[in-house]
Amino acid sequence: VLVCGGVSSSISTEQSCISSRSPSGPWLPHSTTKAYRSGHSSVFAAGRLHLLGGWGESKATMETLEGDTWTLHDLPYTVDYGSCSVQTAPNQFVLTGGLDSSKKMSKWSEGNVWDSLPDLTVGKYDHGCTSVTMGGVVHVVVAGGTDSSGNDLSSSAIYNMDTGRWTDMGNMRVARSSGVMINLRYGDIQRIIMMGGVDSDDNELTTVEDLDL
C-alpha cells in the first residue's frame, strides 16, 4: 500500500509518500513527490503509479513514479482537485472531471501521449469512477460528485471506449460526493459499487450503492 500527499494535521499540504505491506502497518517513509499535492487522483498504468492534479501548484501537473523517484509532467489542461482516473488498458488510463475541468475527459497512453475524449454529460468533481468490460468492450462509469455550482450529484453515466458515446445510467438513491467507486470481480461477474462520501448536508455516509448493469 502506498499513500502520497494529502493534508496534515497542521493543515499543510504534503509531499511525502509512505508505504506498508499491510494496512495495519508498520508505515515507512517511501519517497517525496516533486510538488505539494492534495485532492489529486491516482491510477496505476504502464507498470507505474501516476498522480494527477490537486490543490495549488500541482493543479496542472502529473507525477509518475519510476522506482522510488517521481517525474513531473504537464497535464494537457488545468485539472485542480477532485478529478478521477481509471485504467482502461494495461498501458492506458482515462482522466475525468476536476474542479477546473469538470466536463473534460482525456486518455493517456504510454509515452505520455494525451488524446481528448467526448465531454462528460454532467460536469463534476469529487466523483467516483471505474472501468467495466461488457461484451469485450471497455466502458468507463462515473457517478456522484459535485457540479460547478456546488450541488452534490446523484447522477451516473457510462462511456463506451469503442463508440465514443456516453449513456446516462440513472440516479443513485443518495446524492454523494467524495465517494469511492470500485468494480468487484467474481470470475465473469462484475459489480459496480459506490461507497461512502458525504451528502448534500455534509453528513458522512456509511451506505453502499450497487449499480445494476
Side-chain angles (χ1 to χ4, degrees), residues 72-198:
L72 194 65
H73 306 278
D74 290 332
L75 289 171
Y77 47 82
T78 300
V79 174
D80 213 315
Y81 70 91
S83 65
C84 191
S85 304
V86 61
Q87 185 186 45
T88 49
N91 296 320
Q92 179 188 100
F93 67 80
V94 165
L95 168 66
T96 66
L99 180 65
D100 284 354
S101 55
S102 63
K103 293 201 72 173
K104 290 185 177 181
M105 180 168 68
S106 295
K107 179 182 69 177
W108 178 94
S109 302
E110 179 72 274
N112 203 37
V113 177
W114 287 95
D115 295 296
S116 296
L117 297 177
D119 285 352
L120 280 68
T121 56
V122 177
K124 57 185 64 190
Y125 62 94
D126 283 346
H127 54 291
C129 69
T130 192
S131 62
V132 58
T133 301
M134 297 186 295
V137 177
V138 176
H139 296 70
V140 174
V141 180
V142 297
T146 304
D147 67 15
S148 58
S149 299
N151 301 307
D152 289 337
L153 302 169
S154 59
S155 59
S156 66
I158 188 168
Y159 177 77
N160 185 311
M161 293 289 291
D162 274 11
T163 65
R165 294 179 180 175
W166 282 100
T167 302
D168 289 331
M169 295 292 287
N171 293 334
M172 296 184 293
R173 295 182 180 275
V174 177
R176 66 181 75 210
S177 66
S178 302
V180 175
M181 182 184 288
I182 60 172
N183 181 358
L184 287 179
R185 297 177 175 90
Y186 305 91
D188 294 332
I189 299 173
Q190 301 177 88
R191 295 182 62 189
I192 307 302
I193 306 294
M194 187 70 163
M195 304 178 292
V198 295

Side-chain angles (χ1 to χ4, degrees), residues 40-81:
H40 52 285
S41 61
S42 62
V43 62
F44 190 84
R48 301 186 296 278
L49 179 65
H50 312 270
L51 308 179
L52 298 102
W55 287 98
E57 66 176 24
S58 62
K59 65 183 180 181
T61 64
M62 174 180 84
E63 295 192 48
T64 299
L65 183 62
E66 306 272 2
D68 59 358
T69 302
W70 292 95
T71 303
L72 194 65
H73 306 278
D74 290 332
L75 289 171
Y77 47 82
T78 300
V79 174
D80 213 315
Y81 70 91

